[in-house]
Amino acid sequence: MKSIFDEFTYNEVVERFSQLSPESEGSWGKMSVGQMLWHCQIFVKAAIKNKKYEKRGNPIIRWFFKKSMYSDKPWRKNLPTTPFAKAKEEKEFEVEHKKLLELINELYSLRDRTDWNAHPIFGDFTPEQWGKLEYKHLDHHLRQFGV
């Protein structure tokens, strides 16, 4: 499984995001490209901030889905997201694109950090699992928009 903390993978992700434009359309889901860029920021910020969160959500769902968050198997299309990560209004592509790339750069710069707090929904992850999870989420949405 690829990790955002791997230099080659990090560069690949940045290059794929550079291929997006305001006209990019998703092949599934309801988000516009601007909303997707905003949505992706939520989870990158959660990793960067490394805050202590109370675990949210159903513990059975958390247990059942946790391994799929960082496994080799791609996520299926049209997965629901948590309500706090749904964009309720349109987002400006250029603004959100720039913010997300800055966050991805910051996350990559933290690749050697060893003290990672729990994920706000799925609980404890190792640094390796965080890197895989962040890559997998970004890749999911890049595939959604055809890059």
Side-chain angles (χ1 to χ4, degrees):
M1 178 73 212
K2 292 182 177 183
S3 168
I4 196 67
F5 298 142
D6 169 72
E7 183 178 10
F8 179 82
T9 302
Y10 159 76
N11 288 327
E12 170 200 315
V13 167
V14 170
E15 170 59 29
R16 288 169 68 193
F17 272 108
S18 73
Q19 295 174 33
L20 293 171
S21 75
E23 291 76 35
S24 296
E25 292 187 20
S27 57
W28 73 80
K30 298 176 182 176
M31 289 189 284
S32 70
V33 67
Q35 290 172 322
M36 177 274 288
L37 295 166
W38 176 88
H39 164 85
C40 288
Q41 293 172 42
I42 302 294
F43 299 101
V44 175
K45 285 178 190 175
I48 290 169
K49 289 181 181 178
N50 201 31
K51 289 173 45 175
K52 289 194 180 211
Y53 294 94
E54 285 187 34
K55 292 178 186 169
R56 300 178 184 185
N58 183 318
I60 294 170
I61 292 172
R62 187 170 44 243
W63 175 84
F64 187 74
F65 287 106
K66 183 176 178 179
K67 286 185 182 178
S68 73
M69 295 295 104
Y70 53 84
S71 72
D72 287 334
K73 186 177 177 184
W75 294 343
R76 67 176 173 81
K77 299 173 182 178
N78 294 309
L79 282 174
T81 191
T82 185
F84 69 83
K86 287 184 181 177
K88 294 175 179 54
E89 65 272 336
E90 191 52 53
K91 302 294 182 179
E92 187 178 329
F93 175 85
E94 296 297 336
V95 171
E96 304 306 333
H97 189 258
K98 181 180 180 200
K99 284 181 188 176
L100 180 58
L101 288 175
E102 288 170 353
L103 288 167
I104 292 169
N105 290 336
E106 184 177 353
L107 180 63
Y108 179 71
S109 76
L110 298 171
R111 64 192 172 279
D112 294 324
R113 182 168 74 188
T114 57
D115 60 327
W116 291 83
N117 281 314
H119 186 276
I121 297 170
F122 294 103
D124 295 327
F125 284 131
T126 66
E128 293 78 20
Q129 290 168 336
W130 269 108
K132 290 175 181 180
L133 168 66
E134 292 296 333
Y135 168 76
K136 192 166 183 176
H137 184 237
L138 295 170
D139 175 67
H140 174 76
H141 289 293
L142 287 164
R143 287 185 298 107
Q144 178 185 13
F145 283 84
V147 295

